[in-house]
């Protein structure tokens, strides 16, 4: 039975607003779109927010990891929240923004939460094929300049913007770089917080137990208990708000899927997200600097695209930088060797394509099978098949100089933008599932852990002994429900390289896995770099898949 379901409360609030009240000029076209889907079987949440009512774990304060907005952050601004003369939402938002700054505005954060929830709702209920009405709506929605700017609020864009807006000012000639001249280099200012290594140092799992753990981890405590002043508590809250705001924007950019390569300008128009746009400030030197900064690799981040707190929470700003630099290198390679349209190029050229459930399935609908089912049929991640992988890396001498030369920045500062040419390798991987087991103590409990094995061979260049190896690894859920892939490259029976990545959009999504590769012994001196892989065929034994078909 088919029927038109009611949208979630978040989507209804977002889509039912008049045009004048729609956040960031959301198009009214959404309110007229009718989507016919099957009835949802999702379990309803019992509480409005996690831990808000449980007798043993009550936590009335929102944290940067909350999945929905609350009134806590807004109520902290008493002059706005309780002013009888300021009752219009737009006026309240503008007033709080003037008091705290645009990127520290809690109302901006709540608004971005609603938008991200709405986008995820439309994606989760979209058809797999590219003619989906949901995908068309989202594509049209983000053609507007105002809406594309939502994707550009992370620290990567802020860094590039400030660096280029201050070139004429001698005291800001090297914002967040290693010259020590940045005014934003302390923990009390949001932009200084954008250093990836600084976050890892605050919550690193490598410190001694009990060594100011709660304080460094960013736990919220009362001023009386912690002994800090009200001003320090306000600065801490501002820092947390800014972190969450930039993470939300980076996640939205990753779901959007077309990596923005230049700092947007209003004069560029709605087409500025195209990879070929040559206007504006280039972002790849800033993304490259963040990707190859080895300070961010800690045991507490598993050397992957995770936050440095041991929680396996995805650091979407890391993923965003990885996506930007990988797309830049792939596009540069494709332009140089004229390989556009081949399987070498990942599906990152159209907005929101490949992040819908079962987005990589190329097989016919499920039919009744005899019991017991084959292992491949019980694999919820659809591992078995042929995958294309891309690996990028710097010359090791350049990587070492960038990270360990004498003139190094403070831990609270970024390294300078890195203009360098990276090497790139394309690798064909054939995988098959080898085992399924129950999730472990630190895994998400929704799905099992799947083990896989396979082989890899160099695609471009045709001969590369470092690319020809055996592959083994696992895929599992994180406690937050993200799909985590771990792979090992095995040479002559010995593991040599390891990678940690996140599948964008969730399991079975065609967008692929983005993450870091590194030495399997976690060598702090490297090497390490960006990698991604995506599925190109469901049949691992397909002999026709060769370099000619690539």
């Amino acid at each position: 039975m088919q029927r038109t379901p009611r949208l979630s409360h978040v989507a209804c609030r977002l889509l039912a607003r008049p045009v004048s009240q729609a956040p960031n000029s959301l198009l009214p076209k959404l309110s007229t779109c009718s989507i016919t889907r099957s009835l949802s079987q999702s379990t309803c949440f019992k509480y409005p927010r996690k831990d808000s009512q449980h007798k043993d774990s009550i936590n009335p304060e929102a944290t940067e990891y909350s999945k929905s907005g609350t009134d806590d952050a807004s109520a902290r601004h008493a002059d706005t929240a309780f002013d009888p003369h300021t009752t219009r939402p737009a006026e309240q938002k503008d007033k709080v923004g003037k008091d705290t700054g645009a990127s520290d505005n809690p109302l901006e954060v709540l608004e971005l939460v609603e938008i991200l929830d709405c986008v995820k709702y439309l994606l989760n209920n979209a058809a797999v094929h590219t003619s989906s009405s949901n995908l068309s709506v989202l594509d049209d929605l983000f053609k507007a300049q105002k809406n594309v700017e939502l994707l550009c609020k992370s620290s990567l864009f802020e860094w590039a913007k400030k660096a280029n807006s201050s070139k004429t000012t001698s005291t800001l000639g090297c914002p967040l770089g290693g010259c020590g001249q940045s005014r934003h280099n302390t923990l009390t200012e949001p932009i200084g917080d954008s250093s990836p290594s600084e976050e890892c140092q605050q919550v690193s799992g490598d410190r001694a137990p009990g060594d100011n753990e709660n304080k460094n981890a960013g736990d919220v405590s009362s001023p009386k208990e912690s002994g800090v002043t009200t001003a320090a508590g306000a600065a801490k809250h501002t820092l947390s708000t800014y972190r969450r705001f930039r993470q939300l924007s980076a996640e939205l950019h990753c779901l959007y899927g077309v990596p923005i390569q230049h700092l947007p300008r209003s004069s560029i128009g709605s087409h500025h997200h195209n990879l070929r746009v040559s206007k504006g400030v280039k972002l790849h030197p800033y993304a490259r600097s963040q990707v190859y900064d080895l300070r961010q690799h800690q045991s507490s981040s598993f050397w992957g695209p995770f936050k440095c707190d041991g929680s396996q929470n995805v650091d979407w700003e890391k993923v965003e930088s990885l996506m930007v630099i990988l797309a830049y290198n792939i596009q540069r390679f494709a332009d140089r060797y004229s390989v556009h349209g081949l399987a070498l190029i990942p599906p990152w050229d159209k907005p929101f394509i490949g992040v819908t459930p079962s987005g990589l399935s190329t097989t016919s609908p499920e039919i009744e099978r005899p019991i017991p089912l084959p292992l491949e049929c019980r694999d919820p991640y659809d591992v078995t098949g042929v995958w294309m992988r891309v690996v990028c890396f710097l010359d090791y001498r350049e990587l070492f100089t960038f990270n360990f030369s004498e003139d190094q920045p403070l831990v609270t500062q970024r390294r300078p933008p890195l203009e360098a040419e990276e090497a790139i390798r394309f690798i064909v991987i054939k995988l098959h599932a080898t085992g399924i087991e129950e999730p472990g103590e630190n895994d998400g409990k929704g799905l099992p852990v799947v083990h896989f094995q396979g082989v890899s061979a160099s695609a471009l260049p045709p001969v590369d002994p470092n690319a020809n190896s055996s592959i083994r690894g696992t895929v599992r859920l994180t406690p937050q429900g993200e799909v985590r892939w771990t792979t090992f490259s095995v040479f002559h029976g010995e593991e040599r390289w390891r990678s940690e990545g996140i599948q964008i959009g969730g399991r079975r999504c065609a967008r692929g896995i983005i993450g870091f590769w590194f030495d399997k012994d976690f060598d702090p001196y490297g090497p390490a770099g960006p990698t991604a892989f995506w599925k190109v065929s469901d049949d691992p034994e397909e002999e026709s898949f060769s370099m000619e078909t690539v």
Side-chain angles (χ1 to χ4, degrees):
M1 177 179 178
Q2 299 283 333
R3 60 166 290 184
T4 303
R6 297 179 60 187
L7 294 176
S8 67
H9 70 284
V10 172
C12 287
R13 289 176 59 192
L14 182 64
L15 306 183
R17 296 178 180 178
V19 179
S20 60
Q21 298 180 11
N24 298 285
S25 302
L26 288 175
L27 301 180
K29 188 180 297 185
L30 280 171
S31 61
T32 62
C33 178
S34 179
I35 307 169
T36 302
R37 305 296 299 163
S38 301
L39 288 172
S40 172
Q41 301 298 320
S42 301
T43 304
C44 295
F45 292 104
K46 295 181 179 180
Y47 307 128
R49 187 176 77 249
K50 181 180 182 295
D51 296 338
S52 64
Q53 295 181 359
H54 195 276
K55 64 182 183 64
D56 297 323
S57 62
I58 185 170
N59 178 18
E61 291 291 323
T63 70
E64 64 174 305
Y65 303 117
S66 63
K67 296 299 182 182
S68 60
T70 69
D71 293 331
D72 297 338
S74 303
R76 289 189 180 97
H77 300 270
D79 292 341
T80 302
F82 305 109
D83 185 357
H85 303 292
T86 307
T87 57
R88 294 173 61 87
E91 294 175 353
Q92 292 177 334
K93 175 183 168 183
D94 292 340
K95 186 173 181 179
V96 174
K98 291 178 181 178
D99 295 339
T100 63
S103 57
D104 307 329
N105 190 341
L107 298 183
E108 290 273 7
V109 176
L110 299 181
E111 189 174 85
L112 195 52
V113 167
E114 288 189 352
I115 293 171
L116 187 59
D117 285 346
C118 180
V119 169
K120 288 182 177 180
Y121 177 87
L122 292 173
L123 290 174
N124 290 334
N125 289 276
V128 175
H129 51 77
T130 57
S131 60
S132 164
S133 60
N134 287 22
L135 298 183
S136 298
V137 165
L138 288 172
D139 188 13
D140 291 340
L141 181 66
F142 281 88
K143 285 179 180 177
Q145 175 73 22
K146 270 285 189 180
N147 295 335
V148 176
E149 289 176 358
L150 289 172
L151 314 175
C152 309
K153 302 294 186 180
S154 68
S155 61
L156 175 64
F157 291 89
E158 290 295 318
W159 180 22
K161 185 186 304 181
K162 286 184 175 292
N164 287 273
S165 64
S166 59
K167 281 184 177 179
T168 57
T169 307
S170 58
T171 58
L172 294 177
C174 183
L176 306 178
C179 62
Q181 295 178 335
S182 171
R183 64 177 178 178
H184 298 290
N185 58 2
T186 67
L187 296 182
T188 58
E189 296 196 49
I191 296 300
D193 163 66
S194 59
S195 168
S197 60
E198 182 270 312
E199 287 190 21
C200 289
Q201 290 294 331
Q202 289 188 74
V203 295
S204 172
D206 297 331
R207 63 178 182 275
D211 183 16
N212 296 327
E213 289 189 13
N214 291 336
K215 178 180 178 181
N216 290 338
D219 294 339
V220 177
S221 58
S222 67
K224 292 182 180 180
E225 294 174 342
S226 62
V228 298
T229 64
T230 304
K236 189 175 185 180
H237 167 65
T238 298
L239 210 59
S240 177
T241 302
Y242 178 74
R243 283 178 177 173
R244 184 161 185 232
F245 184 80
R246 72 189 194 189
Q247 285 286 330
L248 291 169
S249 177
E251 183 178 3
L252 189 59
H253 186 191
C254 292
L255 290 176
Y256 179 72
V258 181
I260 299 174
Q261 293 292 342
H262 295 81
L263 194 64
R265 293 178 178 175
S266 57
S267 60
I268 295 176
S270 62
H271 65 281
H272 69 268
H273 60 267
N274 192 294
L275 288 176
R276 294 181 175 275
V277 170
S278 58
K279 299 179 180 180
V281 177
K282 296 179 180 179
L283 286 174
H284 66 85
Y286 303 92
R288 186 179 295 108
S289 175
Q290 179 162 320
V291 167
Y292 288 102
D293 187 345
L294 296 181
R295 297 177 298 176
Q296 67 185 312
H297 293 306
Q298 306 259 349
S299 60
S300 55
S301 68
F302 310 95
W303 281 59
F306 304 102
K307 294 184 177 181
C308 299
D309 57 6
S311 66
Q312 299 187 62
N313 273 293
V314 176
D315 189 327
W316 289 106
E317 290 196 287
K318 288 183 181 179
V319 179
E320 180 184 47
S321 293
L322 287 164
M323 181 179 70
V324 167
I325 197 61
L326 285 167
Y328 171 80
N329 291 333
I330 292 171
Q331 191 66 39
R332 181 173 58 86
F333 179 89
D335 290 340
R336 180 177 298 178
Y337 296 102
S338 300
V339 293
H340 296 280
L342 302 181
L344 290 172
I345 309 302
W348 299 351
D349 58 337
K350 296 180 180 179
F352 300 106
I353 297 298
V355 288
T356 53
S358 301
L360 55 76
S361 177
T362 59
T363 57
S364 58
E366 285 291 323
I367 58 175
E368 192 172 333
R369 293 186 174 92
I371 299 178
L373 294 173
L375 185 62
E376 288 79 5
C377 297
R378 294 184 285 119
D379 168 20
Y381 306 103
D382 204 9
V383 170
T384 301
V386 181
W387 299 72
M388 180 61 68
R389 184 172 201 165
V390 60
V391 175
C392 299
F393 54 94
L394 284 175
D395 181 277
Y396 184 72
R397 292 168 295 183
E398 194 161 14
L399 177 70
F400 189 88
T401 301
F402 181 65
N403 283 276
F404 304 108
S405 62
E406 293 184 0
D407 185 18
Q408 290 297 307
L410 300 176
V411 70
T412 56
Q413 294 177 309
R414 287 187 179 272
R415 301 190 187 279
L418 180 58
E419 286 277 5
E421 185 162 335
E422 302 164 61
I424 187 169
R425 299 289 185 269
F426 291 92
I427 303 169
V428 177
I429 305 176
K430 295 186 177 183
L431 299 178
H432 59 275
T434 59
I436 298 178
E437 65 181 22
E438 292 298 316
E441 180 181 354
N442 298 320
D443 299 327
K445 308 305 179 184
L447 292 172
V449 176
V450 174
H451 295 257
F452 58 82
Q453 293 183 2
V455 295
S456 68
S458 179
L460 280 177
V463 179
D464 183 359
N466 291 320
N468 301 329
S469 69
S470 299
I471 295 288
R472 62 172 172 248
T474 58
V475 54
R476 66 188 73 212
L477 292 182
T478 68
Q480 298 77 29
E482 302 291 345
V483 180
R484 174 184 174 184
W485 289 68
T486 303
T487 69
F488 293 90
S489 297
V490 184
F491 297 86
H492 307 291
E494 182 177 350
E495 294 175 349
R496 180 66 182 92
W497 306 112
R498 175 172 176 164
S499 75
E500 290 284 352
I502 287 294
Q503 190 160 11
I504 307 299
R507 68 186 183 98
R508 295 175 174 261
C509 282
R511 183 70 58 77
I513 295 90
I514 296 179
F516 290 97
W517 67 268
F518 47 90
D519 184 280
K520 61 99 175 178
D521 292 323
F522 307 101
D523 189 337
Y525 294 98
T531 184
F533 52 101
W534 57 96
K535 200 170 191 181
V536 293
S537 173
D538 288 323
D539 185 6
E541 306 302 327
E542 184 178 346
E543 296 295 336
S544 61
F545 195 89
S546 61
M547 199 52 236
E548 287 73 18
T549 59
V550 171

